């Protein structure tokens, strides 16, 4: 039994997309920033950091986007979110997810110029296809952050052409559209 604690538009969106890609049943538990749900004692017992996502696996909590995405890709290999039996491809996916978590995610806190510089690195690194050559958890993780950046800053498409093309490919995926539909119905509370 899988249970996802998520807040619409937050980092948990990546896990939400992956669960829809896999097509397995899961219980969705939306959380609200406005109601301060992540600081409730019951939630802090699951995730002492008080953030989303948290994925309960038969009642056991797993936190952090990269770890949850990796778990889902390995647990459900038929979804092909990681190439099978290709340790280098797995390492490339982990490299992307480390870069996303440690460099891209906190970039805006260091200012818009810095954020644009590191997103420029991501644009060049991505090139014209999927992050590791075939669609993977790295693309899901990258998309969620770029989705937020592009929609909050209203960047012209030519600013990051490779990321814009990636965004368009991701938006065409049924799992992405389903996640956005579900999260829109719950309601976005994140600041721009």
């Amino acid at each position: 039994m899988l249970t996802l604690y998520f807040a619409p538009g937050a980092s948990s969106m990546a896990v939400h997309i992956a669960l829809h890609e896999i097509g397995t049943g899961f219980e969705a538990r939306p959380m609200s920033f406005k109601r301060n749900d992540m600081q409730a004692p019951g939630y802090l017992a699951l995730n002492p950091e008080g953030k989303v996502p948290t994925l309960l696996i038969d009642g056991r909590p797993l936190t952090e986007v990269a770890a949850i995405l990796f778990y889902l890709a390995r647990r459900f290999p038929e979804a092909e979110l990681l190439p099978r039996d290709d340790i280098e491809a797995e390492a490339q996916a982990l490299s992307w997810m480390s870069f996303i978590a440690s460099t891209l995610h906190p970039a805006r806190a260091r200012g818009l110029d810095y954020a644009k510089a590191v997103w420029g690195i991501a644009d060049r690194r991505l090139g014209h296809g999927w992050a590791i050559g075939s669609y993977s958890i790295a693309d899901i993780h990258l998309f969620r952050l770029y989705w937020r950046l592009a929609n909050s800053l209203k960047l012209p498409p030519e600013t990051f052409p490779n990321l814009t093309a990636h965004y368009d490919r991701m938006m065409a995926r049924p799992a992405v559209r389903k996640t956005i539909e579900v999260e829109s119905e719950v309601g976005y509370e994140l600041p721009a």
Side-chain angles (χ1 to χ4, degrees), residues 6-14 16 33 52 144-145 147-148 179 183-184 187-190:
F6 73 96
S11 294
S12 55
M13 180 187 211
H16 205 175
F33 289 105
V52 289
R144 198 304 289 184
L145 275 180
W147 172 87
R148 178 113 189 271
T179 301
E183 293 196 359
S184 293
Y188 295 109
E189 298 176 345
L190 291 174

PDB file of all heavy atoms in Angstrom, residues 6-14 16 33 52 144-145 147-148 179 183-184 187-190:
ATOM      1  N   PHE A   6       1.286  15.098  -0.324  1.00  0.00           N
ATOM      2  CA  PHE A   6       1.764  16.066  -1.298  1.00  0.00           C
ATOM      3  C   PHE A   6       1.086  17.412  -1.079  1.00  0.00           C
ATOM      4  O   PHE A   6       0.023  17.505  -0.469  1.00  0.00           O
ATOM      5  CB  PHE A   6       1.477  15.579  -2.730  1.00  0.00           C
ATOM      6  CG  PHE A   6       0.037  15.662  -3.135  1.00  0.00           C
ATOM      7  CD1 PHE A   6      -0.442  16.752  -3.856  1.00  0.00           C
ATOM      8  CD2 PHE A   6      -0.862  14.666  -2.784  1.00  0.00           C
ATOM      9  CE1 PHE A   6      -1.783  16.833  -4.225  1.00  0.00           C
ATOM     10  CE2 PHE A   6      -2.202  14.737  -3.149  1.00  0.00           C
ATOM     11  CZ  PHE A   6      -2.663  15.824  -3.873  1.00  0.00           C
ATOM     12  N   ALA A   7       1.747  18.456  -1.579  1.00  0.00           N
ATOM     13  CA  ALA A   7       1.158  19.794  -1.633  1.00  0.00           C
ATOM     14  C   ALA A   7       1.217  20.215  -3.095  1.00  0.00           C
ATOM     15  O   ALA A   7       2.281  20.133  -3.726  1.00  0.00           O
ATOM     16  CB  ALA A   7       1.927  20.765  -0.750  1.00  0.00           C
ATOM     17  N   PRO A   8       0.097  20.617  -3.671  1.00  0.00           N
ATOM     18  CA  PRO A   8       0.062  20.957  -5.092  1.00  0.00           C
ATOM     19  C   PRO A   8       1.155  21.943  -5.501  1.00  0.00           C
ATOM     20  O   PRO A   8       1.343  22.983  -4.878  1.00  0.00           O
ATOM     21  CB  PRO A   8      -1.331  21.560  -5.274  1.00  0.00           C
ATOM     22  CG  PRO A   8      -2.159  20.843  -4.244  1.00  0.00           C
ATOM     23  CD  PRO A   8      -1.237  20.748  -3.050  1.00  0.00           C
ATOM     24  N   GLY A   9       1.898  21.559  -6.557  1.00  0.00           N
ATOM     25  CA  GLY A   9       2.942  22.401  -7.103  1.00  0.00           C
ATOM     26  C   GLY A   9       4.275  22.332  -6.384  1.00  0.00           C
ATOM     27  O   GLY A   9       5.284  22.799  -6.902  1.00  0.00           O
ATOM     28  N   ALA A  10       4.300  21.755  -5.187  1.00  0.00           N
ATOM     29  CA  ALA A  10       5.552  21.633  -4.432  1.00  0.00           C
ATOM     30  C   ALA A  10       6.403  20.521  -5.044  1.00  0.00           C
ATOM     31  O   ALA A  10       6.006  19.857  -6.010  1.00  0.00           O
ATOM     32  CB  ALA A  10       5.242  21.344  -2.965  1.00  0.00           C
ATOM     33  N   SER A  11       7.552  20.279  -4.468  1.00  0.00           N
ATOM     34  CA  SER A  11       8.450  19.236  -4.966  1.00  0.00           C
ATOM     35  C   SER A  11       7.774  17.870  -5.048  1.00  0.00           C
ATOM     36  O   SER A  11       8.147  17.034  -5.862  1.00  0.00           O
ATOM     37  CB  SER A  11       9.695  19.146  -4.078  1.00  0.00           C
ATOM     38  OG  SER A  11      10.448  20.335  -4.198  1.00  0.00           O
ATOM     39  N   SER A  12       6.775  17.665  -4.220  1.00  0.00           N
ATOM     40  CA  SER A  12       6.042  16.403  -4.230  1.00  0.00           C
ATOM     41  C   SER A  12       5.365  16.137  -5.573  1.00  0.00           C
ATOM     42  O   SER A  12       5.010  14.990  -5.879  1.00  0.00           O
ATOM     43  CB  SER A  12       4.994  16.389  -3.115  1.00  0.00           C
ATOM     44  OG  SER A  12       4.132  17.510  -3.208  1.00  0.00           O
ATOM     45  N   MET A  13       5.216  17.165  -6.400  1.00  0.00           N
ATOM     46  CA  MET A  13       4.603  16.989  -7.714  1.00  0.00           C
ATOM     47  C   MET A  13       5.368  15.951  -8.539  1.00  0.00           C
ATOM     48  O   MET A  13       4.766  15.180  -9.299  1.00  0.00           O
ATOM     49  CB  MET A  13       4.567  18.326  -8.459  1.00  0.00           C
ATOM     50  CG  MET A  13       3.951  18.263  -9.831  1.00  0.00           C
ATOM     51  SD  MET A  13       4.192  19.869 -10.645  1.00  0.00           S
ATOM     52  CE  MET A  13       2.743  19.931 -11.654  1.00  0.00           C
ATOM     53  N   ALA A  14       6.692  15.914  -8.400  1.00  0.00           N
ATOM     54  CA  ALA A  14       7.493  14.948  -9.157  1.00  0.00           C
ATOM     55  C   ALA A  14       7.101  13.516  -8.792  1.00  0.00           C
ATOM     56  O   ALA A  14       6.950  12.656  -9.667  1.00  0.00           O
ATOM     57  CB  ALA A  14       8.980  15.184  -8.904  1.00  0.00           C
ATOM     58  N   HIS A  16       4.265  12.594  -7.499  1.00  0.00           N
ATOM     59  CA  HIS A  16       2.885  12.439  -7.962  1.00  0.00           C
ATOM     60  C   HIS A  16       2.873  12.039  -9.443  1.00  0.00           C
ATOM     61  O   HIS A  16       2.140  11.115  -9.849  1.00  0.00           O
ATOM     62  CB  HIS A  16       2.148  13.756  -7.728  1.00  0.00           C
ATOM     63  CG  HIS A  16       0.674  13.625  -7.591  1.00  0.00           C
ATOM     64  ND1 HIS A  16      -0.125  14.699  -7.286  1.00  0.00           N
ATOM     65  CD2 HIS A  16      -0.178  12.583  -7.732  1.00  0.00           C
ATOM     66  CE1 HIS A  16      -1.395  14.317  -7.236  1.00  0.00           C
ATOM     67  NE2 HIS A  16      -1.446  13.031  -7.520  1.00  0.00           N
ATOM     68  N   PHE A  33      -0.251  24.351   2.767  1.00  0.00           N
ATOM     69  CA  PHE A  33       0.680  25.290   3.395  1.00  0.00           C
ATOM     70  C   PHE A  33      -0.092  26.300   4.235  1.00  0.00           C
ATOM     71  O   PHE A  33       0.340  26.659   5.327  1.00  0.00           O
ATOM     72  CB  PHE A  33       1.505  26.032   2.331  1.00  0.00           C
ATOM     73  CG  PHE A  33       2.525  25.168   1.646  1.00  0.00           C
ATOM     74  CD1 PHE A  33       2.313  24.710   0.356  1.00  0.00           C
ATOM     75  CD2 PHE A  33       3.703  24.816   2.282  1.00  0.00           C
ATOM     76  CE1 PHE A  33       3.244  23.918  -0.282  1.00  0.00           C
ATOM     77  CE2 PHE A  33       4.645  24.016   1.667  1.00  0.00           C
ATOM     78  CZ  PHE A  33       4.415  23.562   0.370  1.00  0.00           C
ATOM     79  N   VAL A  52       7.043  18.156   2.273  1.00  0.00           N
ATOM     80  CA  VAL A  52       6.561  17.123   1.365  1.00  0.00           C
ATOM     81  C   VAL A  52       7.600  16.954   0.261  1.00  0.00           C
ATOM     82  O   VAL A  52       8.356  17.880  -0.011  1.00  0.00           O
ATOM     83  CB  VAL A  52       5.180  17.500   0.756  1.00  0.00           C
ATOM     84  CG1 VAL A  52       4.089  17.407   1.796  1.00  0.00           C
ATOM     85  CG2 VAL A  52       5.209  18.850   0.086  1.00  0.00           C
ATOM     86  N   ARG A 144       9.536  19.253 -12.842  1.00  0.00           N
ATOM     87  CA  ARG A 144       8.795  19.896 -11.750  1.00  0.00           C
ATOM     88  C   ARG A 144       9.414  21.239 -11.386  1.00  0.00           C
ATOM     89  O   ARG A 144       8.725  22.246 -11.241  1.00  0.00           O
ATOM     90  CB  ARG A 144       8.759  18.969 -10.530  1.00  0.00           C
ATOM     91  CG  ARG A 144       7.676  19.305  -9.497  1.00  0.00           C
ATOM     92  CD  ARG A 144       7.636  20.682  -8.908  1.00  0.00           C
ATOM     93  NE  ARG A 144       8.710  20.980  -7.991  1.00  0.00           N
ATOM     94  CZ  ARG A 144       8.788  22.129  -7.321  1.00  0.00           C
ATOM     95  NH1 ARG A 144       7.870  23.050  -7.438  1.00  0.00           N
ATOM     96  NH2 ARG A 144       9.794  22.364  -6.538  1.00  0.00           N
ATOM     97  N   LEU A 145      10.714  21.290 -11.281  1.00  0.00           N
ATOM     98  CA  LEU A 145      11.348  22.564 -10.929  1.00  0.00           C
ATOM     99  C   LEU A 145      11.240  23.577 -12.064  1.00  0.00           C
ATOM    100  O   LEU A 145      10.969  24.754 -11.826  1.00  0.00           O
ATOM    101  CB  LEU A 145      12.817  22.349 -10.573  1.00  0.00           C
ATOM    102  CG  LEU A 145      13.093  21.953  -9.140  1.00  0.00           C
ATOM    103  CD1 LEU A 145      14.580  21.779  -8.915  1.00  0.00           C
ATOM    104  CD2 LEU A 145      12.536  22.966  -8.171  1.00  0.00           C
ATOM    105  N   TRP A 147       8.952  23.647 -14.391  1.00  0.00           N
ATOM    106  CA  TRP A 147       7.527  24.008 -14.467  1.00  0.00           C
ATOM    107  C   TRP A 147       7.249  25.189 -13.537  1.00  0.00           C
ATOM    108  O   TRP A 147       6.603  26.155 -13.918  1.00  0.00           O
ATOM    109  CB  TRP A 147       6.691  22.790 -14.088  1.00  0.00           C
ATOM    110  CG  TRP A 147       5.232  23.033 -13.939  1.00  0.00           C
ATOM    111  CD1 TRP A 147       4.276  23.003 -14.926  1.00  0.00           C
ATOM    112  CD2 TRP A 147       4.521  23.328 -12.725  1.00  0.00           C
ATOM    113  NE1 TRP A 147       3.032  23.269 -14.403  1.00  0.00           N
ATOM    114  CE2 TRP A 147       3.154  23.471 -13.049  1.00  0.00           C
ATOM    115  CE3 TRP A 147       4.906  23.489 -11.397  1.00  0.00           C
ATOM    116  CZ2 TRP A 147       2.175  23.765 -12.099  1.00  0.00           C
ATOM    117  CZ3 TRP A 147       3.947  23.777 -10.450  1.00  0.00           C
ATOM    118  CH2 TRP A 147       2.597  23.915 -10.806  1.00  0.00           C
ATOM    119  N   ARG A 148       7.751  25.121 -12.333  1.00  0.00           N
ATOM    120  CA  ARG A 148       7.534  26.194 -11.357  1.00  0.00           C
ATOM    121  C   ARG A 148       8.247  27.471 -11.780  1.00  0.00           C
ATOM    122  O   ARG A 148       7.680  28.561 -11.741  1.00  0.00           O
ATOM    123  CB  ARG A 148       8.016  25.735  -9.972  1.00  0.00           C
ATOM    124  CG  ARG A 148       7.880  26.797  -8.915  1.00  0.00           C
ATOM    125  CD  ARG A 148       6.858  26.442  -7.860  1.00  0.00           C
ATOM    126  NE  ARG A 148       6.600  27.562  -6.988  1.00  0.00           N
ATOM    127  CZ  ARG A 148       7.276  27.821  -5.873  1.00  0.00           C
ATOM    128  NH1 ARG A 148       8.223  27.008  -5.474  1.00  0.00           N
ATOM    129  NH2 ARG A 148       6.976  28.869  -5.153  1.00  0.00           N
ATOM    130  N   THR A 179      -1.611  14.640 -13.299  1.00  0.00           N
ATOM    131  CA  THR A 179      -1.122  15.224 -12.047  1.00  0.00           C
ATOM    132  C   THR A 179      -1.513  16.690 -11.940  1.00  0.00           C
ATOM    133  O   THR A 179      -1.993  17.143 -10.894  1.00  0.00           O
ATOM    134  CB  THR A 179       0.406  15.059 -11.929  1.00  0.00           C
ATOM    135  OG1 THR A 179       0.721  13.667 -11.987  1.00  0.00           O
ATOM    136  CG2 THR A 179       0.937  15.658 -10.639  1.00  0.00           C
ATOM    137  N   GLU A 183      -3.860  18.205  -9.037  1.00  0.00           N
ATOM    138  CA  GLU A 183      -3.320  19.225  -8.143  1.00  0.00           C
ATOM    139  C   GLU A 183      -4.032  20.569  -8.331  1.00  0.00           C
ATOM    140  O   GLU A 183      -4.215  21.303  -7.376  1.00  0.00           O
ATOM    141  CB  GLU A 183      -1.803  19.336  -8.321  1.00  0.00           C
ATOM    142  CG  GLU A 183      -1.104  18.071  -7.830  1.00  0.00           C
ATOM    143  CD  GLU A 183       0.386  18.215  -7.607  1.00  0.00           C
ATOM    144  OE1 GLU A 183       0.959  19.301  -7.834  1.00  0.00           O
ATOM    145  OE2 GLU A 183       0.995  17.200  -7.184  1.00  0.00           O
ATOM    146  N   SER A 184      -4.455  20.871  -9.543  1.00  0.00           N
ATOM    147  CA  SER A 184      -5.217  22.108  -9.776  1.00  0.00           C
ATOM    148  C   SER A 184      -6.550  22.074  -9.049  1.00  0.00           C
ATOM    149  O   SER A 184      -7.000  23.088  -8.502  1.00  0.00           O
ATOM    150  CB  SER A 184      -5.474  22.301 -11.277  1.00  0.00           C
ATOM    151  OG  SER A 184      -4.275  22.551 -11.947  1.00  0.00           O
ATOM    152  N   GLY A 187      -5.838  22.806  -5.487  1.00  0.00           N
ATOM    153  CA  GLY A 187      -5.516  24.230  -5.387  1.00  0.00           C
ATOM    154  C   GLY A 187      -4.068  24.502  -5.044  1.00  0.00           C
ATOM    155  O   GLY A 187      -3.525  23.905  -4.119  1.00  0.00           O
ATOM    156  N   TYR A 188      -3.443  25.385  -5.814  1.00  0.00           N
ATOM    157  CA  TYR A 188      -2.054  25.756  -5.589  1.00  0.00           C
ATOM    158  C   TYR A 188      -1.967  26.868  -4.559  1.00  0.00           C
ATOM    159  O   TYR A 188      -2.738  27.817  -4.608  1.00  0.00           O
ATOM    160  CB  TYR A 188      -1.394  26.214  -6.901  1.00  0.00           C
ATOM    161  CG  TYR A 188      -1.295  25.112  -7.928  1.00  0.00           C
ATOM    162  CD1 TYR A 188      -2.071  25.116  -9.075  1.00  0.00           C
ATOM    163  CD2 TYR A 188      -0.433  24.044  -7.731  1.00  0.00           C
ATOM    164  CE1 TYR A 188      -1.978  24.097 -10.010  1.00  0.00           C
ATOM    165  CE2 TYR A 188      -0.351  23.019  -8.644  1.00  0.00           C
ATOM    166  CZ  TYR A 188      -1.118  23.053  -9.786  1.00  0.00           C
ATOM    167  OH  TYR A 188      -1.026  22.046 -10.715  1.00  0.00           O
ATOM    168  N   GLU A 189      -1.015  26.741  -3.650  1.00  0.00           N
ATOM    169  CA  GLU A 189      -0.824  27.746  -2.587  1.00  0.00           C
ATOM    170  C   GLU A 189       0.590  28.316  -2.564  1.00  0.00           C
ATOM    171  O   GLU A 189       0.883  29.164  -1.728  1.00  0.00           O
ATOM    172  CB  GLU A 189      -1.106  27.120  -1.220  1.00  0.00           C
ATOM    173  CG  GLU A 189      -2.516  26.612  -1.042  1.00  0.00           C
ATOM    174  CD  GLU A 189      -2.724  25.908   0.284  1.00  0.00           C
ATOM    175  OE1 GLU A 189      -1.743  25.551   0.970  1.00  0.00           O
ATOM    176  OE2 GLU A 189      -3.886  25.702   0.630  1.00  0.00           O
ATOM    177  N   LEU A 190       1.455  27.844  -3.431  1.00  0.00           N
ATOM    178  CA  LEU A 190       2.841  28.296  -3.399  1.00  0.00           C
ATOM    179  C   LEU A 190       2.972  29.719  -3.922  1.00  0.00           C
ATOM    180  O   LEU A 190       2.268  30.104  -4.854  1.00  0.00           O
ATOM    181  CB  LEU A 190       3.719  27.379  -4.258  1.00  0.00           C
ATOM    182  CG  LEU A 190       3.903  25.966  -3.714  1.00  0.00           C
ATOM    183  CD1 LEU A 190       4.663  25.133  -4.738  1.00  0.00           C
ATOM    184  CD2 LEU A 190       4.657  25.986  -2.408  1.00  0.00           C
TER     185      LEU A 190
END
